[in-house]
Amino acid sequence: GLTGQRGWTRAWRDRAPRPAYDVVIVGGGGHGLATAYYLARNHGLRRVAVLERGLIGQGNAGRNTTIVRSNYMLPGNREFYEHTLKLWEGLSQELNYNLMFSQRGHLALSFDPGFRDAFARRYNTMRMTGADGRWLSRSEVQARAPYLDWSQSARFPIEGGFLQQRAGTARHDALVWGFARAADARGVHIVQNCEVTGFLREGGAIVGVETSRGEIRAEKVALAVAGSTGPLAAKAGLGKLPLETHKLQAFVTEPLKPIVHQVISSARQGLFYMSQSDKGGVVFGGEIDGHPSYAQRGGLETYSEVMSKAVSLAPFLARTRLLRQWAGVVDMSMDGSPFITPTPIPGLYFNAGWNYGGFKATPASGWCYAHTIAHDAPHELNAAFSLDRFARGRELDEEAAGPVPR
Ligand code: FAD
């Protein structure tokens, strides 16, 4: 249908690498591109390059289930995630790019008094610290989501739920393209098909990168490679990190008429989350695969697990056809919280550990990482996301604080 179209200009330019930059960001996913944008926008840096080994947005940024929420409770996390939600609320205008951010609400199902108590603590804390959230009774949840299993024989009887109305979904590719276009317009170089294979050193400092397209010098090198962090960080000399890479799978049905009007999440017997895309497909997912892996493909075991959960909660799914199943490789930190931090190696900066939830974090991650790189010190919003927090006994274990976030 587009074959007759003429005269379209590129949204952003695919540059040849220069021999030197002020800042080189490794990884052209959402976080790398957002960081480049905010380095240019907030800190006036222009000689910035994003080096991507393939094509931008083909890692987790283009594979996620697009849920955006800020239902975090622990100090350190909650301010950061609320900041990201606030950025999302103005981002389509800021980037002049329709991110299709839809605040259709995120509904966390409650199944028993234990769930309710833990949720009440979480959502009350959120309300007291500037986020939104409220309890919905069983009948209120049923009115919003009649497609869930409300029968007497339901495997997971639902007693109510907690709603964050400002949460929702967005178009993941649009986030990548929007940041890429805005960064490019501010002079950032986006260099595709440029794999970072090693690091240039002088004394104890990192002063650039070796790439599949030659050496590139930089005053500052910032990693943002998500599931590929371990091997690259080892080459940089960061040693063994509190991180593991696992596959996370997702699924989408054939397009249906609008039926799922919000994001649904359940933490009963493992994680499950579901929403309906603007094309009509019901998109859903569950837990990570149990073993570490760098393979970006799905598998039968997780498929069976997620399907049984899907059908138990929303029986209509048994009558739909599955259109696609895919996987990304997510960077799982040992306490479920991320890292945005300078490192002990001069010239090297570190961003990773996004677990199940780095898509929603993209704007604030870029915003905070840019600050950290520009000032050689974290912003107060990412001060808790240090690498040495395990050594200091300052883990941020949000999951241990009660159901929902991971
Ligand atoms: P990526 O897009 O993975 O970017 C990293 C980039 O680095 C890649 O493009 C890769 O090619 C590049 N790279 C790697 N090594 C090198 C190298 N040596 N040289 C150059 N480039 C390199 N989060 C949410 O908030 N909500 C969700 O609903 C959600 N659902 C998810 C569902 C699935 C199935 C998956 C897989 C993830 C989900 N996530 C979700 C998590 C989220 O997608 C990630 O946390 C986030 O995208 C990670 O940041 P990124 O976009 O920068 O990563």
Side-chain angles (χ1 to χ4, degrees), residues 239-388:
K240 186 154 172 52
L241 297 167
L243 273 180
E244 266 181 12
T245 291
H246 286 252
K247 282 190 288 180
L248 180 58
Q249 303 193 34
F251 310 83
V252 64
T253 68
E254 60 191 334
L256 306 174
K257 286 186 177 174
I259 177 168
V260 181
H261 300 295
Q262 55 289 101
V263 180
I264 294 286
S265 98
S266 159
R268 167 60 93 210
Q269 291 187 350
L271 198 59
F272 178 79
Y273 35 91
M274 167 171 78
S275 65
Q276 188 166 11
S277 82
D278 292 331
K279 280 195 290 186
V282 179
V283 180
F284 52 96
E287 302 269 2
I288 51 169
D289 284 18
H291 53 280
S293 169
Y294 291 95
Q296 293 187 117
R297 12 168 225 280
L300 194 59
E301 200 182 320
T302 306
Y303 168 89
S304 315
E305 244 176 67
V306 175
M307 287 310 145
S308 75
K309 189 89 183 268
V311 170
S312 303
L313 275 168
F316 79 92
L317 287 171
R319 298 193 304 278
T320 64
R321 289 189 179 86
L322 201 66
L323 205 61
R324 281 195 309 280
Q325 168 192 14
W326 66 92
V329 287
V330 289
D331 33 335
M332 305 298 294
S333 69
M334 293 300 110
D335 60 357
S337 294
F339 306 101
I340 304 178
T341 178
T343 71
I345 303 171
L348 183 69
Y349 301 80
F350 187 68
N351 175 319
W354 293 101
N355 298 277
Y356 294 79
F359 175 68
K360 63 174 166 314
T362 305
S365 168
W367 199 95
C368 291
Y369 201 23
H371 178 103
T372 305
I373 296 164
H375 294 274
D376 263 321
H379 188 273
E380 63 182 26
L381 285 169
N382 62 303
F385 300 162
S386 67
L387 255 175
D388 67 355

Side-chain angles (χ1 to χ4, degrees), residues 29-31 52-53 60-61 64-65 67 196 248 356-360:
H31 291 236
E52 165 55 47
R53 72 177 168 197
N60 293 330
N64 64 76
T65 46
I67 300 168
V196 170
L248 180 58
Y356 294 79
F359 175 68
K360 63 174 166 314

Side-chain angles (χ1 to χ4, degrees), residues 83-403:
H83 182 57
T84 213
L85 187 49
K86 290 212 171 82
L87 288 174
W88 270 106
E89 285 171 331
L91 208 55
S92 286
Q93 286 77 7
E94 156 117 24
L95 300 177
N96 188 24
Y97 206 102
N98 185 2
L99 306 179
M100 298 167 77
F101 180 44
S102 158
Q103 293 179 293
R104 59 187 65 180
H106 174 272
L107 184 48
L109 301 177
S110 175
F111 299 93
D112 59 39
F115 264 97
R116 200 190 324 141
D117 286 353
F119 274 139
R121 199 161 68 104
R122 172 175 299 282
Y123 283 77
N124 282 336
T125 308
M126 286 160 55
R127 287 170 66 118
M128 286 162 59
T129 54
D132 64 308
R134 68 190 175 99
W135 164 253
L136 298 180
S137 66
R138 178 177 160 92
S139 56
E140 286 174 307
V141 176
Q142 185 169 9
R144 284 174 164 77
Y147 52 83
L148 296 174
D149 189 352
W150 298 100
S151 68
Q152 290 297 318
S153 57
R155 182 169 165 218
F156 303 122
I158 299 161
E159 64 137 30
F162 278 81
L163 176 71
Q164 183 177 29
Q165 186 58 60
R166 288 164 58 241
T169 58
R171 173 80 200 274
H172 45 8
D173 296 323
L175 184 71
V176 170
W177 298 331
F179 271 127
R181 187 176 73 171
D184 174 85
R186 286 174 186 264
V188 168
H189 278 196
I190 298 170
V191 185
Q192 300 188 115
N193 299 309
C194 182
E195 179 167 6
V196 170
T197 52
F199 295 86
L200 305 176
R201 289 165 212 278
E202 271 174 23
I206 284 187
V207 295
V209 288
E210 293 162 1
T211 80
S212 52
R213 296 174 72 172
E215 289 185 357
I216 302 173
R217 292 184 71 87
E219 282 173 28
K220 301 183 177 189
V221 174
L223 303 187
V225 294
S228 306
T229 294
L232 204 58
K235 283 185 189 164
L238 279 179
K240 186 154 172 52
L241 297 167
L243 273 180
E244 266 181 12
T245 291
H246 286 252
K247 282 190 288 180
L248 180 58
Q249 303 193 34
F251 310 83
V252 64
T253 68
E254 60 191 334
L256 306 174
K257 286 186 177 174
I259 177 168
V260 181
H261 300 295
Q262 55 289 101
V263 180
I264 294 286
S265 98
S266 159
R268 167 60 93 210
Q269 291 187 350
L271 198 59
F272 178 79
Y273 35 91
M274 167 171 78
S275 65
Q276 188 166 11
S277 82
D278 292 331
K279 280 195 290 186
V282 179
V283 180
F284 52 96
E287 302 269 2
I288 51 169
D289 284 18
H291 53 280
S293 169
Y294 291 95
Q296 293 187 117
R297 12 168 225 280
L300 194 59
E301 200 182 320
T302 306
Y303 168 89
S304 315
E305 244 176 67
V306 175
M307 287 310 145
S308 75
K309 189 89 183 268
V311 170
S312 303
L313 275 168
F316 79 92
L317 287 171
R319 298 193 304 278
T320 64
R321 289 189 179 86
L322 201 66
L323 205 61
R324 281 195 309 280
Q325 168 192 14
W326 66 92
V329 287
V330 289
D331 33 335
M332 305 298 294
S333 69
M334 293 300 110
D335 60 357
S337 294
F339 306 101
I340 304 178
T341 178
T343 71
I345 303 171
L348 183 69
Y349 301 80
F350 187 68
N351 175 319
W354 293 101
N355 298 277
Y356 294 79
F359 175 68
K360 63 174 166 314
T362 305
S365 168
W367 199 95
C368 291
Y369 201 23
H371 178 103
T372 305
I373 296 164
H375 294 274
D376 263 321
H379 188 273
E380 63 182 26
L381 285 169
N382 62 303
F385 300 162
S386 67
L387 255 175
D388 67 355
R389 65 176 182 261
F390 294 93
R392 292 186 293 114
R394 301 303 299 258
E395 298 90 343
L396 270 177
D397 195 338
E398 190 75 39
E399 194 185 345

